[in-house]
Amino acid sequence: MSDNKDFLRTIVEKDLKSGKYKEVITRFPPEPNGFPHIGHAKSICINFGIAKDYNGHCNLRMDDTNPTKEDTKYVEALKDAVQWLGFDWGENVHFTSDYFHKIYDYAITLIKMDKAYVDSINEEEMREFRGTVTEAGKRSKFAQRTIEENLDLFERMKNGEFKDGEHVLRAKIDMGAANMKLRDPLLYRIRHAHHFRAGNEWSIYPMYDFAHCLSDYIEGISHSICTLEFENNRDIYNWVLDTLELKAPRPYQHEFARLGINYTVMSKRKLLELVEGNQVSGWDDPRMPTIAGYKRRGYTPESILNFCDQIGIAKANSMVDVSQLEFCIRDDLNKKVPRVMCVLDPLKVTIENYEGTEDLSSPYYPHDVPKEGSRNIPFSKEIFIEREDFEENPPKGYFRLTPTQPVRLRHGFIITCKEVIKDANGEIIELKVEYHANSKSGSDTSGIKVKSAIQWVSSKEAIKSEVRVYDRLFKDEAPEGLEDINPDSLKVIKNALVEPAIVLDKPDERFQFERQGYFYADPIDYTDEKPVFNKIVGLKDSWGKKTNTDKPTTKTSPKQEAKKEQVVGSEVAMSDEQTALFDKYTNELGLNSEVANILARDKKLSSFYDESLKESNSPVALANMIVTEVARELKEKELNELKFNALQIAELVEMLEISTISSKIAKQVFEEMVKSGANPTQIVEDKGLVQISDPNIISPIIDEIITKNPDNVEKFKAGNKKLLGFFVGQVLKSTGGKANPQVVNQLVAQKLK
Ligand code: ATP
Ligand code: MG
């Protein structure tokens, strides 16, 4: 069980203690209209997790009340996801459609109690009669139908005598209810559609609000856990069960916050768009945030469970950073998988003073992984190294092979470059080198100092493989749709070379390709003849790293690891100076270790950062701006070539921090600073991005948003004060981030009073 108890477990414990329920029975109730995503994983963890913790049971229930969108393939995907995450739903999967007859009978009971009626007004009237937040609705004249009439019509609806939309069954509750959901909600609608399980038996289908509570009751559910957007539906849930006077114990609904992740879209509708628009290869494309996608990519169930546990269960919606999920998988694999060598972009190297072949026996695991196992790495005269591990004109701080700087072949010998061979276009096609016979890894007596060790493979024995390098599917932090897709989310490398043991010895299906990242033998396309590997995740957060000229390597993010990289044959250990900076950034300024790592290792970035700090109260926001935006500029330029300076960036971040401008506008301003070097404040003024504080301008915008969101107004008035943020957010959005948030806040609060 998780260490700190969340509010749901607190409720469950209380209910068990008071004897309200003998056993905890939860359910995970997806609609089978798409593949489950990471948000569902969270719901699965909560529902199955709670049942497990309290020796109860969790049902897997397909909420299949909408015949037009559902399909068996989604049922299979849902089962697969639950199973893969390690949970057990017991004997059988439940389906709401199995209860169609019972639910129908409950509807008859309500009609007989005069608590439900057949309504026949059209959609337009229905909307009109519903009223608004401030005005009560009006009941349809059909509400006066007699019980006999209603029974007759409802049966004929069932028998298919009417067209879609001609009649509906509604609960008779209260057209003046403050909670608008209670204004005679629909219970059944006519739908002449084939149902994937019930076939053509039904011409009417129950609505969520009617079917869900009853399905929970029929299954003996104790705690019906759902996401916050169902908060207002809770009253109907209770009304149905109470009005029917069902035998105790009956279930109660509890809401928690939905999981949202940045750089990710997470609604089945949007995911379906990606699939149908061929933006991805299918629901299980390794870039998809679906369980099937993560599974295909090589994520482990443990890493997903860990992630769900880490983010916890909250009552307020929030956005989780995708790098937290990436951290969880990296952290899991770091403890488990063999380290092997793969060369993605091979450069031929001939060792002139070596003849014959030999096997270098080398462990699969570093010392801190408690696993045993080793393999032989064949070594010979002709090998391949990574093209980027040789530089003819190295930049300062380049630690790998150069014409004058030797390097170690990981698990092997030190080599020194003798000759660079180029083709007619001047491209390097081969290196001639010498090896140092007395420098063998583990018994090195050569006395030669090298600054790094690089991966390599022997040309004869290496196995050609396809490597699929995945990156985030969206380039925008809050993607809206197809326009935000990252065009470089997939790179297929056809001619990568892997050391033979990966294929012939197969110590695992997941590997760390040293200095490259974690990879997984694709469960579908891999064969020994034609190996295919998927990149699971990099060794560090590459979204911050794009900046470094020299690629730091190996597992990094936890602080200790950033410092001890040398252990795993990587190249860049931090200097004392860098370590001191890193410590200052993490301990004093509160930066996370990835950001601190990037800054500390890059002289240009850290000096820029230190300079900008002089004018800033926001070290964290500033650091983020520098490792993302500024770093991109510094990749190709020197500090003195930038048009903008450190203090201007501090100014920009400050504007962002006090919400004078939104982050979208900040990006826009930054682009302008790159081009013109103008002051951010000036740019904001010139371009009319300056905030709007005039109540006469803001007021009508607020009015419009209030009119458009009656449900939320309702909830706010009923006590959900958190919704103030929703309204403020909407106003900011509709003014392109230009409205002054404080003014908006005041006005919204006034108007909603
Ligand atoms: P989507 O909006 O992505 O289509 P949904 O809510 O319509 O999702 P359902 O199949 O109805 O999907 O969801 C099944 C269960 O999973 C519900 O209890 C729902 O609350 C929960 N769930 C769905 N998305 C999330 C999420 N992002 N975070 C947490 N729980 C979620
Ligand atoms: Mg839904």
Side-chain angles (χ1 to χ4, degrees):
M1 195 184 309
S2 356
D3 312 335
N4 31 8
K5 216 182 312 150
D6 52 78
F7 76 95
L8 290 172
R9 283 176 170 81
T10 307
I11 294 171
V12 166
E13 281 185 18
K14 193 177 107 236
D15 288 347
L16 285 175
K17 210 162 151 206
S18 73
K20 187 168 174 183
Y21 304 105
K22 280 209 276 304
E23 193 186 3
V24 182
I25 304 183
T26 55
R27 83 286 170 268
F28 168 61
E31 183 183 353
N33 62 351
F35 273 52
H37 49 61
I38 183 84
H40 292 108
K42 176 170 177 179
S43 181
I44 291 170
C45 287
I46 291 175
N47 282 297
F48 281 93
I50 288 179
K52 200 167 171 181
D53 285 354
Y54 297 96
N55 295 317
H57 184 76
C58 179
N59 287 346
L60 172 58
R61 182 200 310 148
M62 302 297 155
D63 190 13
D64 55 349
T65 55
N66 181 356
T68 56
K69 294 192 172 146
E70 295 158 3
D71 196 288
T72 322
K73 69 169 183 260
Y74 300 131
V75 174
E76 291 310 310
L78 283 154
K79 285 160 69 177
D80 195 61
V82 173
Q83 232 158 19
W84 185 69
L85 288 172
F87 294 110
D88 179 11
W89 57 78
E91 249 158 58
N92 47 352
V93 176
H94 299 253
F95 291 84
T96 303
S97 56
D98 289 343
Y99 316 135
F100 279 173
H101 285 277
K102 285 190 183 162
I103 295 171
Y104 178 78
D105 290 343
Y106 282 122
I108 303 268
T109 307
L110 281 184
I111 295 174
K112 287 182 177 163
M113 297 168 88
D114 199 21
K115 292 289 183 188
Y117 60 97
V118 174
D119 199 358
S120 313
I121 52 177
N122 61 35
E123 260 181 66
E124 203 178 311
E125 283 173 307
M126 180 102 57
R127 216 173 304 128
E128 196 186 311
F129 286 9
R130 200 164 169 241
T132 64
V133 201
T134 45
E135 272 169 83
K138 191 163 77 183
R139 200 160 256 167
S140 145
K141 62 173 191 250
F142 298 109
Q144 287 169 21
R145 280 174 168 149
T146 63
I147 292 175
E148 287 67 36
E149 253 179 297
N150 282 320
L151 287 172
D152 174 59
L153 281 171
F154 188 51
E155 186 174 352
R156 288 166 58 200
M157 281 166 65
K158 173 184 174 236
N159 292 341
E161 288 184 31
F162 306 111
K163 289 200 290 290
D164 284 10
E166 220 173 317
H167 305 287
V168 291
L169 185 73
R170 299 179 76 166
K172 200 180 251 181
I173 308 182
D174 179 4
M175 289 306 288
N179 178 353
M180 290 184 69
K181 297 254 180 194
L182 284 182
R183 297 186 181 176
D184 290 10
L186 303 198
L187 303 181
Y188 267 93
R189 61 182 167 172
I190 301 173
R191 264 276 152 110
H192 290 277
H194 180 84
H195 186 281
F196 78 108
R197 293 186 79 245
N200 295 324
E201 182 183 358
W202 296 89
S203 302
I204 52 172
Y205 290 92
M207 305 298 289
Y208 170 87
D209 280 322
F210 194 50
H212 202 84
C213 52
L214 288 171
S215 304
D216 281 349
Y217 179 75
I218 292 165
E219 289 178 11
I221 301 300
S222 58
H223 297 82
S224 180
I225 299 167
C226 64
T227 34
L228 276 179
E229 68 271 22
F230 293 99
E231 208 173 354
N232 276 359
N233 301 61
R234 195 196 318 136
D235 288 342
I236 311 181
Y237 189 101
N238 291 335
W239 182 89
V240 171
L241 298 184
D242 289 344
T243 305
L244 286 167
E245 292 171 17
L246 299 170
K247 251 197 356 254
R250 72 143 172 103
Y252 283 86
Q253 178 184 309
H254 308 275
E255 308 91 22
F256 71 96
R258 256 179 124 72
L259 167 66
I261 300 188
N262 63 4
Y263 294 100
T264 309
V265 298
M266 222 193 305
S267 96
K268 282 180 284 187
R269 186 180 52 77
K270 287 191 177 168
L271 296 174
L272 182 65
E273 258 171 38
L274 293 172
V275 173
E276 291 188 333
N278 292 319
Q279 299 290 333
V280 293
S281 64
W283 283 100
D284 71 343
D285 185 296
R287 292 164 294 179
M288 290 281 270
T290 52
I291 306 300
Y294 291 118
K295 186 176 165 188
R296 174 104 189 244
R297 177 133 172 196
Y299 272 62
T300 56
E302 294 81 2
S303 64
I304 306 254
L305 296 177
N306 241 332
F307 172 71
C308 291
D309 196 44
Q310 271 187 19
I311 57 180
I313 307 176
K315 275 196 220 184
N317 284 324
S318 66
M319 190 63 90
V320 173
D321 197 324
V322 66
S323 61
Q324 199 173 339
L325 176 62
E326 291 162 355
F327 174 82
C328 286
I329 179 62
R330 204 181 280 134
D331 190 47
D332 189 37
L333 297 177
N334 179 32
K335 293 179 293 211
K336 289 182 179 164
V337 302
R339 273 56 167 175
V340 292
M341 294 197 284
C342 166
V343 173
L344 294 174
D345 184 10
L347 172 64
K348 182 174 158 186
V349 172
T350 305
I351 303 166
E352 291 190 301
N353 60 342
Y354 188 85
E355 296 301 332
T357 56
E358 70 190 276
D359 282 335
L360 304 170
S361 173
S362 315
Y364 277 126
Y365 305 97
H367 300 299
D368 53 352
V369 173
K371 283 184 152 189
E372 297 286 320
S374 63
R375 82 290 196 188
N376 283 326
I377 306 173
F379 179 67
S380 66
K381 189 180 180 75
E382 194 178 295
I383 64 171
F384 286 97
I385 66 168
E386 205 69 63
R387 188 166 290 277
E388 64 173 28
D389 284 340
F390 175 76
E391 275 292 342
E392 209 174 6
N393 303 301
K396 200 158 167 284
Y398 186 87
F399 291 149
R400 296 164 275 173
L401 189 64
T402 74
T404 55
Q405 178 170 268
V407 78
R408 174 175 300 284
L409 298 174
R410 175 80 172 133
H411 295 303
F413 300 91
I414 293 173
I415 55 171
T416 301
C417 182
K418 288 289 155 196
E419 192 186 343
V420 181
I421 298 175
K422 298 180 182 172
D423 66 10
N425 301 322
E427 203 191 324
I428 301 171
I429 50 169
E430 187 186 345
L431 302 177
K432 304 248 188 232
V433 306
E434 256 176 30
Y435 91 118
H436 301 272
N438 57 353
S439 68
K440 190 165 165 182
S441 199
S443 54
D444 182 358
T445 55
S446 71
I448 303 169
K449 288 267 175 284
V450 290
K451 290 186 174 140
S452 70
I454 61 174
Q455 71 270 26
W456 57 278
V457 291
S458 169
S459 106
K460 195 152 88 310
E461 292 86 356
I463 296 177
K464 193 167 100 179
S465 302
E466 177 173 320
V467 175
R468 299 172 184 168
V469 179
Y470 295 105
D471 199 349
R472 291 178 188 166
L473 186 53
F474 291 98
K475 59 182 181 338
D476 199 276
E477 175 152 9
E480 309 254 322
L482 303 184
E483 69 276 17
D484 295 319
I485 283 198
N486 171 10
D488 303 318
S489 63
L490 171 60
K491 194 168 115 202
V492 179
I493 298 170
K494 293 275 184 195
N495 296 316
L497 296 172
V498 300
E499 64 166 283
I502 297 174
V503 174
L504 306 179
D505 187 28
K506 273 201 199 42
D508 204 333
E509 295 162 329
R510 295 181 182 83
F511 307 90
Q512 184 190 105
F513 289 172
E514 290 201 44
R515 302 176 66 233
Q516 313 270 25
Y518 292 98
F519 292 80
Y520 181 50
D522 187 87
I524 294 173
D525 296 334
Y526 177 98
T527 61
D528 284 350
E529 290 66 45
K530 198 177 164 293
V532 178
F533 298 95
N534 299 330
K535 180 163 182 179
I536 307 169
V537 70
L539 293 168
K540 61 172 303 199
D541 187 350
S542 61
W543 278 64
K545 190 191 66 186
K546 299 217 154 116
T547 62
N548 279 352
T549 37
D550 210 356
K551 186 169 118 198
T553 56
T554 70
K555 46 184 191 169
T556 46
S557 47
K559 201 166 151 183
Q560 328 80 278
E561 278 165 20
K563 295 186 194 170
K564 64 171 192 203
E565 282 183 327
Q566 209 76 359
V567 180
V568 245
S570 68
E571 50 187 315
V572 199
M574 275 194 191
S575 67
D576 290 347
E577 191 190 343
Q578 288 171 336
T579 306
L581 271 180
F582 180 87
D583 287 344
K584 173 178 143 194
Y585 291 161
T586 50
N587 299 336
E588 286 172 34
L589 300 175
L591 306 191
N592 74 40
S593 51
E594 305 226 331
V595 171
N597 190 30
I598 293 162
L599 288 174
R601 284 172 179 282
D602 189 310
K603 188 88 189 90
K604 287 196 283 189
L605 287 181
S606 57
S607 61
F608 191 94
Y609 180 53
D610 291 344
E611 177 68 20
S612 65
L613 273 176
K614 290 179 191 160
E615 290 287 324
S616 173
N617 300 314
S618 319
V620 174
L622 194 56
N624 289 339
M625 174 77 74
I626 290 173
V627 300
T628 52
E629 307 296 332
V630 177
R632 216 175 33 236
E633 292 305 310
L634 281 177
K635 201 171 162 186
E636 258 116 50
K637 292 183 192 135
E638 287 309 314
L639 281 170
N640 59 13
E641 291 170 327
L642 297 177
K643 289 219 168 126
F644 57 89
N645 63 39
L647 300 184
Q648 289 172 325
I649 292 297
E651 192 177 315
L652 176 64
V653 169
E654 229 47 33
M655 283 200 279
L656 185 63
E657 280 296 284
I658 59 168
S659 307
T660 305
I661 51 175
S662 69
S663 54
K664 266 215 160 118
I665 288 187
K667 282 209 167 103
Q668 206 179 317
V669 173
F670 179 75
E671 294 311 323
E672 191 55 38
M673 290 165 71
V674 170
K675 278 190 249 147
S676 69
N679 264 343
T681 318
Q682 195 62 46
I683 296 171
V684 168
E685 265 167 36
D686 289 352
K687 302 225 156 195
L689 302 172
V690 71
Q691 62 181 356
I692 307 167
S693 303
D694 183 352
N696 293 326
I697 302 178
I698 298 176
S699 207
I701 302 174
I702 300 180
D703 291 341
E704 198 186 321
I705 284 161
I706 287 182
T707 321
K708 273 198 208 146
N709 294 282
D711 286 5
N712 279 337
V713 171
E714 193 51 59
K715 281 195 220 166
F716 180 86
K717 292 197 169 158
N720 186 349
K721 297 303 173 203
K722 277 181 297 208
L723 281 169
L724 189 67
F726 162 79
F727 286 104
V728 173
Q730 291 292 310
V731 177
L732 291 178
K733 196 169 159 194
S734 80
T735 56
K738 288 192 275 178
N740 180 334
Q742 270 141 8
V743 177
V744 176
N745 239 307
Q746 267 172 12
L747 286 175
V748 170
Q750 244 169 40
K751 284 176 191 280
L752 289 178
K753 248 215 293 268

